[in-house]
Amino acid sequence: MASAILKDELLCSICLSTFKDPITLKCGHNFCRVCIGRVLDTQDGSGVYSCPDCREEFQERPTLMRNINLHNVAERFLITQQEQDEITGIYCTYCVDSLVPAVRSCLLCEASLCDKHLRSHSKSPGHVLSDPSTSLEKRKCSVHKKILEYYCTEDAACICVSCSLIGKHNGHKMESLDEAAGKKKKKWRNVVQKLITKREKTEERVRSLEEQRRKAQEKAAGEAERVTALCTDIRRRVDDLEKKVLSEISRQEKEESLPLSALIHQLEIKKDELSWKMRHIEELCNMTDPLTVLQEPDTGDLCDPEEEGGDEDTGGHDKQPHDGDDLDVAVISHTLHTLCEVISGIRSGIYVVSPADILLDVTTAGNNVLISDDLKTATWTRENQKRPETAERFLGYSQVMSRRGFTLGRHYWDVEISRSGWWRVGMCYPSIDRSGDQSLIGRNNKSWSLRKYNNQYSVRHDSKVIRLPDKISSDRFRICLDYGAGQLSFYELCDPIRHLHTFTATFSEPLHAVLYVCESSIKILEGRSNWVKPS
């Protein structure tokens, strides 16, 4: 009893087997590393992760921490269980001195035999031999205690001879056990074959999804590499621009400083000369001998003859230089303007919508619409898909919306449409009705469509029809949206591309791509943002 309880505690709730390399989530529940890894892989695209047991949610993928103690307990339990299985093996009934493995069991004798005792055992037909078994009583009739030899097809029961002659199965259709088992094996083989087919389809589906995931990973890696290269280029260009501006400032500073330094040097020399003259005159003034004072040249001779002429004859030494306000900021501003060009180039080229960004939302698909694995193709089918009725699903018509909605910028997306059947393509608000006549695109004020019906083409909005007079031969079309300008245009992708019609409106909600198919199919080819309007 205790062993059974312990075994239950050591079972992974995902694979229902004893833990293999157990890990523990933050919520405290334990799982096999491989099992929880597969569950988390399926949750990668949902944006949130949850525990399979308690459903506690995690915003980031949980770190898988190994539970060493639980690992040791599970490993020891498996070893103990294996040892017990070996002890409870089937041994020869007649080898009483030692345990010798049995190779066959006799149903009549209800005994198990080793090779030695099997050679001396009775060979009469009554002694039926089977694979070694510990439950030989199950091979005999519970009523007559005779060996089960026949199979009653009416009651689906294994019976003995007495059951078929005098028992409750008397008069029923009988088969030998081998014959009945052969038929059941044949039935099982058919089931296995069907399961193999289903497994192959599942494996193909897995390969397809893995390929889709690989492409998504490659795309993400490519985008990451592109952004890294772009940011590296931005940093390089900004660094180069900074060096260039600083170099220009330094050059202009030197250009201004050199003449100022020369003038300062000249004035320092003049200041020293004036200081010497002042000291000499003061010495003369302090003399007491009048003869010496009178014999000294006049003080005017001590001054610079050029200074006697006034400020106009200073030789330019007192001329005021530039005050530093003449730094050529225009050159600096022009250089910095390059930064604006860098940013403009980034803004115009960084965000481009690839074909994979316009995907169909299966949760909106009507029950007569098949959606391809890559979520790019919608195909009409007579077979009802029996999808659950939700507020998002189109219930009246075979329509489907895109996952993504656009609220600004310019975008376009191309479609390829089968030549048979009827169809509509266009864009709609997410608030469009999902059932009733008003749910069909073009029949309400929340959708705009290009339509083909009975080989006639038209555009529709709010139930107003505009027929397209020109003949249309292509099966490819382009839908262009300029959200800010309030324009939705349709083009035929012929050579050259031909404009069919443009709707003008003030858009008030996100616009989603929407497809309607009837005995037809529509495939989304590509999409792009920041496009240039066709002329």
Side-chain angles (χ1 to χ4, degrees):
M1 181 68 176
S3 177
I5 295 175
L6 177 61
K7 182 177 181 180
D8 290 340
E9 292 297 324
L10 295 177
L11 292 182
C12 171
S13 62
I14 298 176
C15 65
L16 302 179
S17 300
T18 305
F19 288 120
K20 295 180 181 178
D21 194 12
I23 61 93
T24 303
L25 297 181
K26 293 180 180 179
C27 58
H29 291 103
N30 303 293
F31 307 95
C32 300
R33 180 180 294 273
V34 173
C35 295
I36 190 62
R38 290 173 179 168
V39 172
L40 295 177
D41 286 344
T42 63
Q43 299 175 352
D44 277 339
S46 64
V48 64
Y49 300 88
S50 62
C51 170
D53 280 353
C54 66
R55 301 301 178 186
E56 180 176 340
E57 295 186 349
F58 311 98
Q59 296 302 318
E60 296 181 356
R61 180 169 178 138
T63 302
L64 302 183
M65 302 297 295
R66 189 182 189 195
N67 192 327
I68 298 178
N69 293 333
L70 186 59
H71 170 78
N72 294 337
V73 172
E75 190 174 41
R76 183 56 190 165
F77 177 83
L78 289 175
I79 294 174
T80 304
Q81 195 71 23
Q82 184 177 0
E83 292 174 352
Q84 291 177 351
D85 291 342
E86 292 175 357
I87 294 174
T88 57
I90 301 172
Y91 302 102
C92 179
T93 305
Y94 303 108
C95 294
V96 295
D97 295 332
S98 61
L99 295 177
V100 180
V103 294
R104 302 289 281 174
S105 293
C106 178
L107 302 182
L108 180 62
C109 302
E110 295 187 5
S112 297
L113 311 168
C114 63
D115 283 326
K116 176 181 177 182
H117 290 97
L118 180 63
R119 287 192 292 270
S120 59
H121 190 72
S122 173
K123 302 297 189 296
S124 62
H127 292 269
V128 180
L129 299 176
S130 68
D131 292 331
S133 174
T134 58
S135 55
L136 297 176
E137 66 278 2
K138 293 182 179 180
R139 305 296 297 267
K140 290 186 176 182
C141 176
S142 59
V143 178
H144 304 103
K145 306 302 179 184
K146 293 184 178 181
I147 297 174
L148 301 175
E149 300 182 71
Y150 300 100
Y151 181 77
C152 175
T153 58
E154 294 184 20
D155 298 328
C158 296
I159 61 175
C160 66
V161 174
S162 298
C163 289
S164 64
L165 297 177
I166 59 176
K168 64 179 181 178
H169 301 281
N170 182 25
H172 292 183
K173 183 178 180 181
M174 307 291 172
E175 292 180 350
S176 67
L177 293 181
D178 289 340
E179 182 182 3
K183 290 181 179 179
K184 195 165 187 177
K185 288 180 180 179
K186 183 178 180 180
K187 181 179 179 180
W188 281 349
R189 290 189 184 99
N190 292 334
V191 173
V192 169
Q193 191 59 44
K194 292 179 180 179
L195 294 176
I196 290 174
T197 302
K198 288 185 177 181
R199 185 183 66 181
E200 290 175 349
K201 291 181 179 179
T202 303
E203 290 174 347
E204 181 62 29
R205 172 70 171 158
V206 169
R207 285 193 293 270
S208 175
L209 293 175
E210 287 178 343
E211 177 66 16
Q212 191 173 338
R213 181 176 65 179
R214 183 188 63 78
K215 290 181 179 178
Q217 292 172 343
E218 288 180 353
K219 177 190 172 184
E223 287 298 306
E225 183 178 352
R226 185 173 71 90
V227 170
T228 300
L230 179 62
C231 292
T232 301
D233 182 61
I234 292 172
R235 287 190 290 269
R236 178 188 61 77
R237 295 169 73 175
V238 171
D239 289 343
D240 291 346
L241 185 62
E242 179 186 14
K243 292 177 182 177
K244 186 175 181 180
V245 173
L246 293 178
S247 176
E248 176 62 24
I249 294 174
S250 177
R251 184 193 67 77
Q252 293 192 32
E253 184 269 334
K254 290 180 179 178
E255 190 176 280
E256 290 288 326
S257 297
L258 285 176
L260 292 175
S261 298
L263 183 57
I264 290 172
H265 179 68
Q266 293 177 8
L267 293 175
E268 290 288 347
I269 295 174
K270 181 179 180 181
K271 185 182 72 171
D272 292 340
E273 291 177 352
L274 293 174
S275 298
W276 178 82
K277 290 180 181 180
M278 290 169 59
R279 287 193 302 271
H280 182 65
I281 293 173
E282 289 176 352
E283 290 175 356
L284 291 176
C285 291
N286 292 329
M287 287 185 179
T288 57
D289 183 10
L291 183 61
T292 302
V293 173
L294 293 174
Q295 289 179 345
E296 185 67 29
D298 192 11
T299 55
D301 296 337
L302 295 176
C303 296
D304 191 341
E306 294 182 354
E307 290 182 351
E308 295 177 357
D311 292 339
E312 294 179 359
D313 300 325
T314 56
H317 294 308
D318 291 337
K319 184 180 180 181
Q320 293 298 321
H322 297 303
D323 60 4
D325 289 339
D326 291 340
L327 192 65
D328 195 352
V329 294
V331 175
I332 298 173
S333 298
H334 176 74
T335 306
L336 285 174
H337 186 70
T338 308
L339 183 60
C340 297
E341 297 176 356
V342 173
I343 295 174
S344 298
I346 295 168
R347 292 179 62 186
S348 63
I350 187 169
Y351 291 115
V352 175
V353 180
S354 66
D357 286 333
I358 302 180
L359 303 176
L360 299 177
D361 188 356
V362 181
T363 63
T364 68
N367 281 320
N368 293 102
V369 182
L370 287 176
I371 306 299
S372 61
D373 291 342
D374 61 358
L375 305 179
K376 306 291 287 183
T377 304
T379 304
W380 182 83
T381 176
R382 293 183 183 275
E383 183 178 353
N384 191 311
Q385 301 302 299
K386 297 181 180 179
R387 299 185 177 105
E389 293 187 8
T390 61
E392 295 80 15
R393 190 172 310 286
F394 286 107
L395 301 177
Y397 294 95
S398 50
Q399 295 183 151
V400 61
M401 284 170 54
S402 67
R403 290 181 175 179
R404 178 177 184 175
F406 301 99
T407 57
L408 52 85
R410 297 192 304 270
H411 314 272
Y412 78 72
W413 49 288
D414 296 346
V415 295
E416 183 177 33
I417 307 175
S418 62
R419 295 185 178 274
S420 61
W422 310 297
W423 52 261
R424 298 187 184 202
V425 296
M427 305 199 83
C428 70
Y429 292 152
S431 61
I432 186 174
D433 291 345
R434 304 306 169 98
S435 62
D437 290 339
Q438 288 297 305
S439 63
L440 182 62
I441 58 171
R443 281 190 182 173
N444 49 70
N445 60 1
K446 297 182 178 182
S447 61
W448 297 257
S449 70
L450 169 66
R451 166 198 173 193
K452 177 190 175 186
Y453 181 76
N454 287 340
N455 292 323
Q456 293 291 326
Y457 292 84
S458 61
V459 290
R460 283 196 168 202
H461 170 65
D462 202 11
S463 295
K464 297 175 183 177
V465 181
I466 301 176
R467 291 183 178 273
L468 300 177
D470 294 335
K471 181 180 180 182
I472 294 178
S473 58
S474 175
D475 55 1
R476 294 190 176 195
F477 300 88
R478 174 167 295 177
I479 298 89
C480 297
L481 169 66
D482 190 341
Y483 194 98
Q487 294 181 343
L488 179 63
S489 304
F490 296 89
Y491 295 83
E492 180 186 8
L493 291 181
C494 50
D495 190 13
I497 185 172
R498 184 158 63 99
H499 175 256
L500 299 177
H501 184 77
T502 295
F503 288 106
T504 301
T506 300
F507 300 126
S508 58
E509 294 182 35
L511 281 173
H512 291 253
V514 58
L515 311 178
Y516 164 82
V517 289
C518 181
E519 299 184 355
S520 59
S521 66
I522 302 176
K523 179 180 182 181
I524 298 176
L525 300 177
E526 69 169 0
R528 189 173 295 276
S529 294
N530 300 321
W531 52 278
V532 178
K533 292 183 180 180
S535 57

